[in-house]
């Protein structure tokens, strides 16, 4: 329910002119599908061996999202005080939409979560190919093998997409800041030239 409601909300925001990356909408649909895979996975030995790792990743991700919320609350307060946003504008921890200096502290924590998720996905696939005996069984005899493989594929796709989206957002925000600084410098130079010409005449 959580991921589907986020995806629907982001679709509405996108239709209303938000600049949210479409990846985050796909991310939530994939996460919802991954959640269904985990819900129908029988409690076997392989399932129980992965529960602590997935739980630790979820807890770590929750801490990182809490950090994001704190940063966004500070940023939203500053933007409202400056009149750049209204009270109805929202921020939420799922995406990087702004890149103030203090949020750069958060980026390494995001990368750690993404690498962790990637390693977990690779571990799922290793288990799928080397411990599940998929070549010795007919596919109708699979009990948990499909959940192991699907969990690995979902984790790798999500980690890769999150990493790419984060890098692109950081790059775009850094370039925006550089172009804004260059534009400000050009305006100041033009202003100085015009002031000089006015004083000369």
């Amino acid at each position: 329910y959580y991921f589907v409601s986020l995806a629907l909300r982001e679709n509405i925001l996108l239709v209303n002119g938000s600049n949210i990356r479409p990846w985050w909408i796909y991310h939530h649909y994939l996460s919802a599908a991954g959640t269904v895979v985990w819900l129908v996975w029988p409690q076997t030995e392989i399932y129980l061996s992965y529960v602590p790792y997935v739980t630790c990743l979820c807890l770590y991700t929750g801490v990182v999202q809490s950090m994001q919320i704190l940063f966004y609350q500070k940023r939203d307060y500053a933007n409202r005080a400056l009149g750049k946003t209204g009270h109805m504008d929202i921020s939420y921890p799922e995406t990087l939409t702004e890149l103030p200096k203090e949020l750069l502290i958060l980026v390494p924590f995001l990368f750690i979560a993404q690498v962790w998720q990637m390693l977990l996905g690779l571990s799922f696939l290793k288990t799928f190919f080397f411990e599940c005996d998929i070549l010795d069984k007919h596919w109708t005899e699979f009990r948990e093998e499909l959940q192991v493989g699907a969990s690995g594929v979902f984790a790798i796709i999500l980690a890769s997409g999150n990493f790419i989206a984060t890098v692109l957002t950081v790059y775009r925000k850094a370039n925006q800041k550089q172009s804004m600084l260059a534009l400000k410098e050009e305006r100041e130079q033009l202003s100085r030239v015009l002031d000089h010409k006015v004083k000369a005449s």
Side-chain angles (χ1 to χ4, degrees):
Y1 172 77
Y2 173 72
F3 290 117
V4 172
S5 64
L6 279 177
L8 291 174
R9 175 181 169 214
E10 289 165 354
N11 273 314
I12 292 168
L13 289 172
L14 189 63
V15 168
N16 289 327
S18 174
N19 64 350
I20 189 166
R21 289 191 180 278
W23 161 251
W24 298 114
I25 298 169
Y26 304 138
H27 170 273
H28 294 311
Y29 286 128
L30 289 170
S31 296
T35 303
V36 170
V37 168
W38 269 80
L39 286 174
V40 299
W41 192 340
Q43 289 194 11
T44 59
E45 186 178 327
I46 293 175
Y47 172 83
L48 294 174
S49 70
Y50 275 107
V51 167
Y53 301 111
V54 174
T55 303
C56 287
L57 176 62
C58 290
L59 289 173
Y60 179 79
T61 303
V63 169
V64 172
Q65 287 179 343
S66 298
M67 291 169 62
Q68 279 182 288
I69 288 171
L70 292 174
F71 284 119
Y72 278 120
Q73 283 177 342
K74 290 178 186 176
R75 192 69 181 167
D76 286 344
Y77 179 78
N79 283 338
R80 280 192 205 117
L82 294 171
K84 293 181 180 178
T85 60
H87 292 288
M88 294 301 290
D89 293 331
I90 58 168
S91 288
Y92 48 94
E94 291 295 321
T95 61
L96 280 170
T97 55
E98 289 192 15
L99 194 63
K101 290 178 185 174
E102 63 269 8
L103 195 55
L104 284 175
I105 297 168
L106 190 58
V107 172
F109 291 102
L110 291 170
F111 287 149
I112 288 170
Q114 293 158 1
V115 169
W116 189 345
Q117 188 175 22
M118 176 67 77
L119 293 174
L120 190 61
L122 292 172
S123 177
F124 276 126
L125 289 182
K126 179 182 172 240
T127 301
F128 176 70
F129 286 114
F130 298 113
E131 295 177 27
C132 288
D133 299 325
I134 58 170
L135 300 176
D136 298 335
K137 297 179 184 175
H138 189 266
W139 69 272
T140 57
E141 298 173 346
F142 289 171
R143 178 160 181 225
E144 65 179 328
E145 291 80 1
L146 295 177
Q147 284 90 347
V148 176
S151 294
V153 170
F154 282 133
I156 290 171
I157 291 171
L158 290 171
S160 302
N162 290 346
F163 182 80
I164 292 167
T166 303
V167 168
L168 290 175
T169 300
V170 170
Y171 179 75
R172 187 186 76 209
K173 292 297 178 182
N175 280 346
Q176 275 182 342
K177 187 173 183 178
Q178 291 296 330
S179 63
M180 287 175 63
L181 289 174
L183 184 62
K184 182 179 177 183
E185 189 175 321
E186 284 179 21
R187 286 182 182 166
E188 288 174 359
Q189 286 177 352
L190 182 61
S191 176
R192 283 193 297 261
V193 168
L194 291 174
D195 287 343
H196 180 69
K197 286 185 178 183
V198 168
K199 288 178 184 177
S201 54

